[in-house]
Amino acid sequence: MDRNNLLEMLDQVKEGASAPSFQQQRIVLIDGLNLFFRNFAMLNFVNQNGAHIGGLGGFLRSLGTLINTLHPTELYVVFDGVGSTQNRKNLVSEYKSNRNITRITNWDIFEDLEEENSAKIDQISRLTHYLKCLPVKTVILDKLEADDIIAYLSKQFVEKYDSKVFIVSSDKDFIQLINDNITVYRPIEKDFYTKDTVKQKFGILPENFILYKTLIGDNSDNIRGIKGIGSKGVIKRFPQMATEVMSLDHIIDIATQKHKTNVVYARIAHEEDNLRKTYKVMDLHNPMLSSQDETYLDELIKIPTPKLESQTFLKFYHQDDMRHLIKNVEFWINNTFKTLNSYNNDVIDN
């Protein structure tokens, strides 16, 4: 399904209409912290007790919008676990070492960084209570990043259960996973990334996106790339990325053969060891999971979707004094989430 057909289908969905029928399971995998932090930064809602609830309330509203837009037959919210970056730090010690934020997001709400961080922790903790009331599966595993869990689940749903998968995240790392059955929805752009989208925006095949990122690096994760190459330079030096699936070995072979023609090729050849480490850190086709982790996730897929507990949800909602943050919340929760219990999740019988 190309992007135009997907958007045309979504335009035909009416608010409050019964859930459409799909030939394939439609699995939505949400990068939990990515969605939470986006709402936390954007929504400055404070309840009558003076507590900031923007991240919490915004996340729940976004969750409802995603369900009404994507119509999943099953939905997972995935969070980073304790010590989640350690596996990659063992390969690249600088990995995410720049994540110690020293400035606050909103001076109008918080007096200092400690107060803001406390609000984040409180809201994330409270969010997990809300999610337990909803027909979604929440996944948190110690020493694992959400990226690895989402990557593994995507592969299992597509290869074992012939499902359509929608990954919801603004993290570009997921673009490497895009294929005919995996689409990435980037909330920050409100755009669906398909194979065609990747070619239009980056000029390369999605299978080559990991090579693209390996070469240019990732400032958000504190992973340096090859000096002097840049996004345009990747296409200029390796035009094959637009038409054929390449490997890191292929990139290094080309650079070695041409190292005397341009300094960028010379740098790539010289940085081979570091590039291989960077590639392994970024490679979501081989997520960093143990066999025990894989077994747990395989079993989680087979577990039926939890039942909606709307009254418990509403009790939490009123306790947190979120008032009109979600309009007509009683109708919203039942109209939005009951459909997730209405599907026959054939996947669990396989």
Side-chain angles (χ1 to χ4, degrees):
M1 181 188 299
D2 62 28
R3 179 172 178 269
N4 290 333
N5 289 337
L6 176 63
L7 294 177
E8 182 180 350
M9 179 195 74
L10 295 175
D11 287 340
Q12 295 172 355
V13 178
K14 296 181 179 180
E15 184 177 357
S18 59
S21 175
F22 300 107
Q23 292 182 342
Q24 288 179 297
Q25 295 284 336
R26 294 168 58 85
I27 310 299
V28 170
L29 305 174
I30 297 176
D31 183 349
L33 286 182
N34 186 277
L35 188 62
F36 172 83
F37 285 132
R38 180 172 179 271
N39 280 286
F40 185 92
M42 293 179 61
L43 302 179
N44 299 324
F45 290 116
V46 177
N47 66 17
Q48 289 184 329
N49 296 321
H52 184 273
I53 54 172
L56 172 61
F59 184 101
L60 295 171
R61 289 200 318 190
S62 295
L63 186 61
T65 299
L66 289 166
I67 291 172
N68 289 325
T69 301
L70 298 174
H71 292 280
T73 56
E74 195 167 16
L75 187 147
Y76 291 70
V77 180
V78 186
F79 293 97
D80 294 340
V82 176
S84 59
T85 62
Q86 192 56 52
N87 287 332
R88 287 179 169 82
K89 281 182 179 292
N90 290 337
L91 287 169
V92 178
S93 60
E94 300 85 4
Y95 179 69
K96 289 189 176 180
S97 62
N98 59 340
R99 293 293 180 94
N100 294 322
I101 299 173
T102 56
R103 61 182 179 86
I104 68 174
T105 302
N106 195 314
W107 287 98
D108 295 332
I109 304 294
F110 305 105
E111 293 185 1
D112 53 44
L113 186 61
E114 183 178 357
E115 183 181 354
E116 181 178 78
N117 287 337
S118 178
K120 289 177 182 176
I121 294 170
D122 289 345
Q123 289 181 65
I124 292 171
S125 176
R126 187 60 164 169
L127 176 59
T128 61
H129 289 83
Y130 280 88
L131 292 174
K132 288 179 181 178
C133 304
L134 301 176
V136 305
K137 294 181 181 180
T138 305
V139 191
I140 309 173
L141 291 174
D142 288 348
K143 298 182 181 180
L144 288 186
E145 293 192 68
D147 299 34
D148 294 303
I149 297 172
I150 290 172
Y152 181 80
L153 289 173
S154 298
K155 183 177 181 180
Q156 298 308 300
F157 276 118
V158 169
E159 294 185 358
K160 290 188 176 181
Y161 302 110
D162 190 31
S163 301
K164 285 284 187 181
V165 173
F166 295 85
I167 298 173
V168 179
S169 179
S170 296
D171 187 342
K172 289 183 178 179
D173 289 342
F174 290 114
I175 292 175
Q176 64 184 279
L177 299 176
I178 291 172
N179 58 34
D180 290 334
N181 288 304
I182 298 177
T183 298
V184 173
Y185 178 69
R186 288 174 50 79
I188 197 169
E189 298 179 40
K190 294 183 172 59
D191 200 2
F192 295 90
Y193 273 52
T194 63
K195 292 170 66 174
D196 288 340
T197 313
V198 177
K199 292 192 71 173
Q200 292 167 7
K201 289 183 178 287
F202 300 98
I204 60 175
L205 300 178
E207 294 90 341
N208 292 327
F209 190 78
I210 184 175
L211 297 173
Y212 171 91
K213 285 292 294 291
T214 298
L215 291 170
I216 68 171
D218 189 336
N219 288 335
S220 65
D221 287 341
N222 202 35
I223 297 177
R224 64 184 180 88
I226 297 298
K227 183 179 178 181
I229 191 166
S231 56
K232 293 182 179 179
V234 172
I235 309 303
K236 181 178 180 180
R237 303 302 171 194
F238 303 99
Q240 305 95 321
M241 284 196 185
T243 56
E244 62 182 89
V245 177
M246 301 181 71
S247 67
L248 184 57
D249 287 338
H250 194 185
I251 294 292
I252 292 171
D253 286 345
I254 293 173
T256 301
Q257 293 168 12
K258 296 185 176 183
H259 73 280
K260 293 183 179 180
T261 65
N262 187 279
V263 68
V264 169
Y265 289 128
R267 287 170 180 160
I268 291 172
H270 179 71
E271 293 284 341
E272 177 179 351
D273 289 344
N274 287 331
L275 285 174
R276 292 193 183 280
K277 289 180 181 178
T278 296
Y279 184 94
K280 190 170 183 179
V281 164
M282 292 183 172
D283 185 11
L284 293 182
H285 288 285
N286 294 286
M288 295 185 180
L289 274 65
S290 67
S291 58
Q292 184 177 0
D293 296 327
E294 293 179 357
T295 299
Y296 173 84
L297 294 173
D298 291 342
E299 293 303 313
L300 180 65
I301 291 173
K302 299 175 184 178
I303 296 173
T305 299
K307 297 296 183 182
L308 173 63
E309 298 179 17
S310 57
Q311 292 306 309
T312 305
F313 181 99
L314 292 170
K315 182 179 75 172
F316 291 156
Y317 186 86
H318 295 305
Q319 285 176 351
D320 293 329
D321 189 28
M322 289 204 279
R323 290 171 288 168
H324 301 298
L325 200 153
I326 299 175
K327 294 181 180 179
N328 197 356
V329 63
E330 293 186 22
F331 173 80
W332 173 85
I333 187 173
N334 287 296
N335 187 60
T336 301
F337 290 95
K338 273 190 174 179
T339 55
L340 286 169
N341 285 139
S342 67
Y343 294 105
N344 293 318
N345 289 326
D346 297 332
V347 67
I348 67 174
D349 295 327
N350 290 340

